[in-house]
Amino acid sequence: MGDACFSTQLIDGDGVFNVSGLDNFMKEVKLGECGLSYAVVSIMGPQSSGKSTLLNHLFGTNFREMDAFKGRSQTTKGIWLAKAQNIEPCTLVMDLEGTDGRERGEDDTAFEKQSALFALAVSDIVLINMWCHDIGREQAANKPLLKTVFQVMMRLFSPRKTTLLFVIRDKSKIWDAVPKPHAHKETPLSEFFNVEVVALSSYEEKEELFKEQVSHLRARFQHSIAPGGLAGDRRGVVPASGFSFSSQQFWKIIKENKDLDLPAHKVMVATVRCEEIGNEKVASFTADEEWQQFEEAIQHDYVPGFGKKLSSILDRCLSEYDMEAIYFDEGVRTSKRQQLESKLLQLVNPAYQLLLGHLRTRTLEAFKESFDKALTKEGFAAAAARNCMQTFLEQFDKGSEDAAIQQVKWDPSKVKDKLKRDMEAHVASVRNAKLSELCAKYEAQLTKALAEPVEALLDSASEDTWPAIRKLLQRETKAVVSGLESALSAFELDEASEKDLLAKLENHGRSVVESKAKEEAGRVLIRMKDRFSTLFSRDADSMPRVWTGKEDIKAITKTARSASMKLLATLAAIRLDEDVDNIENTLSLALVDTARPGTTDRSIQSFDPLASSSWERVPEDKTLISPVQCKSLWRQFKAETEYTVTQAIAAQEANKRNNNWLPPPWALAAMAILGFNEFMTLLKNPLYLGVIFVVFLVGKAFWVQLDIATEFQNGFLPALLSLSTKFVPTIMNILKRLADEGQRPAAPERQREMELQPTNRSSYSNVTSAGSSSVTTTENGPEYSSPVAK
């Protein structure tokens, strides 16, 4: 039977809780498997009142019993725990140390109260074992004990309906005399406890009757937690697996509760008087004029020497307390002195914290001023910033040492950490601003190095355009990135941050090129027309082209359009990566080389390579002009340049007509045959030749003076009207020149020729459009040239 009850000491005589012993006990009895189906029974009563004997007979436990032959003495020390035998559900039995024992003495009653309160807190049924002759007695009946325990229990724990099984009467007198909290003023005893009374015969005088009565009582513990059982209406039951933790917490709360530890008379006196002295010293300190001056001054600024002066005031106040309380109990005196010191320091602490705040503010402002001056003079440098921070943090340390109070070791590290964070935040702000300026500077430098050269390269638009742009971008980006990398060394950035900034600069270079390419793509039609006009209207020497009739306009037009198509192909996509595409070939086949064998009309071709919204092998984000847009632009381009080609063809035809002055060959043959007689007459009479020569000279003069060839270029009727107005003035001018020539001496031949040149050429033109041809006079006659695009 002894082995099956697993008797274990739960709490020793010094109040130490046996955690490991309880854990082993729970494993042995398999308490964790019981859930809520278990009960806890405890017993309390005076020392040597037969508690252990009653439990052993009632539950089959093996608690140590008193030896009657040795006399009354303390048998059970602390609290013991065992498992009841053959009782369902699982029932735990606690045997408490007896009360009112001589071993602990009169003043050491704290453990009695603690153990009693613990039993009431964790038990479902509490047996209060008393001798019949103790009924009505104050101490022997445990009335003071129960009154104290009931009072504390109502304050510490909620009602859990514990069953009290008395063997005495007068149960109500104890409860009525208990001072109750306001919340439980009218609460009856039955709210906290079920009270049962049972009487047992003397074990020593009537052992058999005692055992019979115990047997009947034992039966009442069977199924004690079932409805109607001894603990059938219990409350707040914890699961069996949590019994160990719950017991530990109950004991911890009980041990920490000072109401159960009633002090001796001298301790009570010392407590009251030392507390009064302490309160007097607190009032004296708050009224101290020097402290009030300190407190007022600290509200506005840092006060040097604060720690030393305030330590002196506190030391004087504590010394006065020591002198007045020197004759009281040492333990109480020391405890109250600590409380006094704590109260004084609580009064001082706000001023101390405010002083550190002023010190932090002053140090931070001084740091900012010094750092900004160094920044203006030498520029940003991480090492210099770090050294400056260290200098001012050391200044803060000196100031905090000056503010330290001797009576306490307050740690100013939180304020110092705040100061350090503020310094670091200021340095970080300045660093970020300087980094932004530095990056903006190098971005502007890279933009300047790329923008105009890229624009010029895109305008030239050849097969080498994008390779040249890539080479330019790589060269300029490398140079600028190298400069930024050198400049960043002073900032001491981590590797990842530095790489991010350098990568951002490289991406900026690419974005400049891409932006410029997008701008040029938006003006591609104007660029195409300018290129076409330049190549079509000017020759290889960049001189205006003269359409004399010998030029191959079709070949020139194809060359100019091919060059414009290459410009369109160059600006159709961004090619900063060395990826191969077939945009130029696609545009060439679809727009320029339209003539294919066996195909006369492009509209009947089965496949249009430009009928798409994207280029093959070109990502969408790299596309500037889609195939469909290229087709539309080319159609508009051809429509706007077609007039220039037409005008060139017309000018070439006109030139051919004007340069052909001779009659047709058949007319020359007819003139030779029909005019043979007249030719022979001229040979026979030379005078006719002179007359014909004079008529030729006069006609030539009229031809040159009237500029007949030019006039007839404007049309037949306008030419007649113009010549009719200039005919008479021209005759008068010729006659006047002949008269002047006869009056002057002979001039050199060259001078005579110069004077015969026309001095008043009438010229006007009827410009019908911007694409009309211009006329120039050469030795071979008038020639036509196409307009030059401005």
Side-chain angles (χ1 to χ4, degrees):
M1 180 178 68
D3 295 335
C5 65
F6 306 106
S7 179
T8 302
Q9 188 175 33
L10 183 62
I11 300 173
D12 64 16
D14 296 327
V16 179
F17 197 99
N18 186 8
V19 178
S20 60
L22 179 57
D23 292 338
N24 293 332
F25 174 85
M26 291 180 63
K27 292 178 182 178
E28 294 292 339
V29 302
K30 300 180 180 179
L31 186 61
E33 301 175 3
C34 295
L36 297 178
S37 182
Y38 75 100
V40 180
V41 179
S42 61
I43 189 168
M44 57 184 293
Q47 180 178 299
S48 303
S49 61
K51 299 186 299 298
S52 301
T53 302
L54 176 60
L55 292 179
N56 291 339
H57 285 83
L58 189 59
F59 299 106
T61 56
N62 62 344
F63 294 123
R64 181 184 174 190
E65 298 179 4
M66 183 190 72
D67 188 355
F69 295 99
K70 294 182 180 180
R72 295 179 179 270
S73 63
Q74 188 180 50
T75 303
T76 304
K77 293 184 179 181
I79 300 176
W80 286 76
L81 180 67
K83 180 179 181 295
Q85 298 297 309
N86 303 320
I87 291 183
E88 293 295 331
C90 178
T91 302
L92 305 182
V93 182
M94 287 198 306
D95 189 10
L96 275 64
E97 179 179 323
T99 61
D100 199 21
R102 66 174 181 271
E103 285 79 2
R104 289 191 177 271
E106 180 179 320
D107 293 335
D108 192 8
T109 60
F111 186 79
E112 295 178 5
K113 301 177 181 67
Q114 292 170 350
S115 59
L117 181 57
F118 179 76
L120 291 172
V122 302
S123 301
D124 301 305
I125 304 169
V126 177
L127 300 177
I128 301 179
N129 190 49
M130 302 175 64
W131 294 105
C132 60
H133 52 74
D134 288 334
I135 297 174
R137 296 181 180 177
E138 186 71 9
Q139 296 294 338
N142 289 326
K143 287 183 180 181
L145 172 63
L146 291 176
K147 286 167 61 178
T148 303
V149 169
F150 287 172
Q151 180 181 356
V152 176
M153 185 173 183
M154 282 189 292
R155 192 176 75 252
L156 296 182
F157 308 115
S158 59
R160 65 185 307 271
K161 205 70 170 182
T162 302
T163 298
L164 300 180
L165 187 56
F166 285 83
V167 295
I168 62 172
R169 54 185 175 82
D170 296 335
K171 58 182 176 59
S172 61
K173 293 181 181 180
I174 301 174
W175 181 259
D176 294 338
V178 172
K180 304 178 182 65
H182 181 73
H184 295 291
K185 281 291 185 183
E186 304 300 327
T187 304
L189 179 64
S190 59
E191 187 68 17
F192 281 82
F193 306 99
N194 287 324
V195 181
E196 298 282 345
V197 180
V198 65
L200 297 177
S201 300
S202 172
Y203 175 74
E204 297 171 348
E205 298 175 1
K206 299 179 181 180
E207 182 178 356
E208 294 300 324
L209 181 59
F210 173 85
K211 292 182 178 179
E212 181 181 354
Q213 292 171 344
V214 168
S215 177
H216 289 298
L217 181 59
R218 174 184 174 86
R220 298 185 63 182
F221 284 92
Q222 291 287 352
H223 307 289
S224 60
I225 63 174
L230 284 175
D233 56 346
R234 62 180 181 169
R235 304 171 188 169
V237 184
V238 297
S241 59
F243 178 77
S244 174
F245 176 79
S246 175
S247 301
Q248 295 175 46
Q249 293 302 310
F250 276 133
W251 185 248
K252 180 180 179 181
I253 294 172
I254 291 169
K255 286 283 288 183
E256 292 174 352
N257 186 60
K258 301 301 181 182
D259 290 349
L260 297 174
D261 188 11
L262 301 179
H265 178 72
K266 64 175 184 178
V267 175
M268 294 178 63
V269 174
T271 301
V272 174
R273 187 66 189 108
C274 289
E275 189 167 349
E276 289 177 352
I277 297 172
N279 291 335
E280 291 174 1
K281 298 311 168 188
V282 171
S284 174
F285 175 82
T286 55
D288 187 87
E289 184 177 351
E290 188 175 4
W291 158 245
Q292 290 178 351
Q293 292 176 355
F294 265 113
E295 193 175 23
E296 177 65 23
I298 290 171
Q299 299 299 322
H300 304 93
D301 199 2
Y302 176 79
V303 178
F306 171 84
K308 185 176 180 180
K309 296 177 182 178
L310 193 58
S311 296
S312 176
I313 299 174
L314 291 174
D315 187 62
R316 182 174 69 244
C317 186
L318 292 173
S319 297
E320 292 175 357
Y321 169 85
D322 292 336
M323 291 178 63
E324 295 183 30
I326 189 170
Y327 298 108
F328 292 103
D329 182 80
E330 182 179 1
V332 175
R333 183 177 72 241
T334 303
S335 174
K336 294 303 178 180
R337 188 185 194 279
Q338 293 175 351
Q339 293 181 15
L340 171 61
E341 187 174 356
S342 177
K343 288 180 180 180
L344 294 176
L345 292 176
Q346 287 179 2
L347 292 173
V348 172
N349 185 262
Y352 174 78
Q353 296 297 333
L354 186 59
L355 184 76
L356 289 184
H358 290 316
L359 178 61
R360 182 188 64 82
T361 302
R362 293 180 60 178
T363 307
L364 180 62
E365 293 300 325
F367 164 76
K368 289 181 178 180
E369 182 179 357
S370 177
F371 179 71
D372 292 343
K373 286 182 180 179
L375 187 69
T376 304
K377 184 178 180 180
E378 302 175 1
F380 184 87
R386 192 164 51 250
N387 293 335
C388 187
M389 284 180 56
Q390 185 61 34
T391 299
F392 282 92
L393 286 175
E394 291 175 357
Q395 290 186 11
F396 176 83
D397 290 337
K398 293 179 180 178
S400 61
E401 289 176 3
D402 180 68
I405 300 174
Q406 297 177 359
Q407 287 77 12
V408 65
K409 298 295 183 181
W410 280 330
D411 186 8
S413 60
K414 290 185 178 180
V415 181
K416 182 179 180 181
D417 291 342
K418 178 68 168 58
L419 172 62
K420 186 176 181 181
R421 290 195 299 270
D422 292 341
M423 289 180 175
E424 290 174 347
H426 180 70
V427 172
S429 176
V430 173
R431 182 186 64 182
N432 293 337
K434 291 299 180 181
L435 279 176
S436 298
E437 292 178 6
L438 189 65
C439 292
K441 171 186 174 183
Y442 281 94
E443 286 178 359
Q445 182 178 338
L446 185 58
T447 301
K448 182 178 180 181
L450 291 175
E452 293 183 359
V454 168
E455 183 176 354
L457 288 171
L458 291 174
D459 188 45
S460 63
S462 64
E463 295 179 355
D464 298 330
T465 295
W466 282 107
I469 291 176
R470 288 196 295 269
K471 186 176 180 181
L472 172 69
L473 175 63
Q474 183 179 5
R475 183 180 69 249
E476 297 297 336
T477 301
K478 183 178 180 181
V480 176
V481 167
S482 177
L484 177 60
E485 188 174 8
S486 299
L488 290 177
S489 60
F491 290 83
E492 296 183 1
L493 299 176
D494 57 89
E495 185 176 356
S497 299
E498 184 172 342
K499 285 184 178 179
D500 289 342
L501 291 176
L502 297 179
K504 182 180 178 182
L505 183 59
E506 293 176 355
N507 293 334
H508 175 75
R510 294 177 66 93
S511 66
V512 169
V513 175
E514 293 176 357
S515 176
K516 185 58 64 176
K518 290 177 181 178
E519 290 179 11
E520 294 300 314
R523 300 194 293 263
V524 65
L525 183 60
I526 299 174
R527 297 290 191 187
M528 290 169 63
K529 290 192 292 184
D530 289 346
R531 174 165 291 195
F532 177 84
S533 178
T534 300
L535 295 178
F536 186 80
S537 302
R538 293 183 179 272
D539 57 18
D541 298 327
S542 298
M543 297 298 293
R545 197 184 296 277
V546 179
W547 304 107
T548 61
K550 300 178 182 179
E551 296 82 10
D552 187 354
I553 293 181
K554 183 176 181 180
I556 295 173
T557 300
K558 184 175 181 180
T559 300
R561 285 179 175 172
S562 296
S564 299
M565 183 274 299
K566 289 183 178 181
L567 177 62
L568 179 61
T570 301
L571 295 176
I574 298 173
R575 301 177 179 87
L576 290 180
D577 301 318
E578 297 182 3
D579 298 331
V580 181
D581 60 66
N582 58 352
I583 295 178
E584 184 173 347
N585 293 336
T586 302
L587 291 177
S588 178
L589 293 174
L591 302 178
V592 179
D593 301 332
T594 56
R596 297 182 181 180
T599 302
T600 58
D601 188 357
R602 189 162 183 251
S603 63
I604 65 175
Q605 293 181 9
S606 60
F607 174 71
D608 184 1
L610 299 182
S612 174
S613 60
S614 60
W615 298 104
E616 183 180 359
R617 290 181 293 181
V618 177
E620 183 177 355
D621 59 335
K622 301 300 181 183
T623 301
L624 297 177
I625 307 174
S626 66
V628 174
Q629 292 172 333
C630 286
K631 185 175 182 180
S632 176
L633 287 170
W634 187 258
R635 186 183 300 112
Q636 186 177 355
F637 164 75
K638 287 187 66 177
E640 295 183 10
T641 58
E642 193 69 29
Y643 182 75
T644 303
V645 178
T646 303
Q647 287 295 97
I649 294 174
Q652 193 178 58
E653 293 296 330
N655 195 321
K656 289 180 180 179
R657 289 195 302 271
N658 291 334
N659 288 335
N660 191 10
W661 296 99
L662 295 178
W666 60 268
L668 293 176
M671 291 173 62
I673 295 173
L674 297 176
F676 180 77
N677 294 331
E678 288 75 5
F679 179 71
M680 294 302 296
T681 301
L682 289 174
L683 291 177
K684 292 179 180 180
N685 192 353
L687 183 60
Y688 288 158
L689 292 175
V691 173
I692 292 172
F693 180 71
V694 172
V695 171
F696 172 75
L697 291 177
V698 173
K700 180 67 175 177
F702 273 100
W703 181 274
V704 173
Q705 290 289 328
L706 294 175
D707 197 8
I708 295 175
T710 302
E711 295 294 342
F712 274 95
Q713 288 181 0
N714 300 323
F716 182 75
L717 184 59
L720 291 179
L721 293 175
S722 178
L723 292 175
S724 64
T725 58
K726 296 192 296 181
F727 184 74
V728 175
T730 301
I731 293 177
M732 297 300 294
N733 188 33
I734 292 175
L735 294 177
K736 182 179 178 182
R737 285 180 174 274
L738 290 175
D740 293 340
E741 186 69 20
Q743 294 178 1
R744 287 187 301 178
E749 185 66 20
R750 180 172 178 82
Q751 182 178 357
R752 187 182 305 112
E753 292 179 358
M754 293 296 294
E755 291 177 352
L756 290 177
Q757 294 295 325
T759 60
N760 183 21
R761 288 191 177 184
S762 174
S763 62
Y764 76 93
S765 61
N766 183 17
V767 181
T768 59
S769 67
S772 61
S773 302
S774 61
V775 182
T776 57
T777 303
T778 64
E779 294 180 356
N780 296 328
E783 295 182 350
Y784 294 84
S785 65
S786 65
V788 178
K790 296 182 181 180

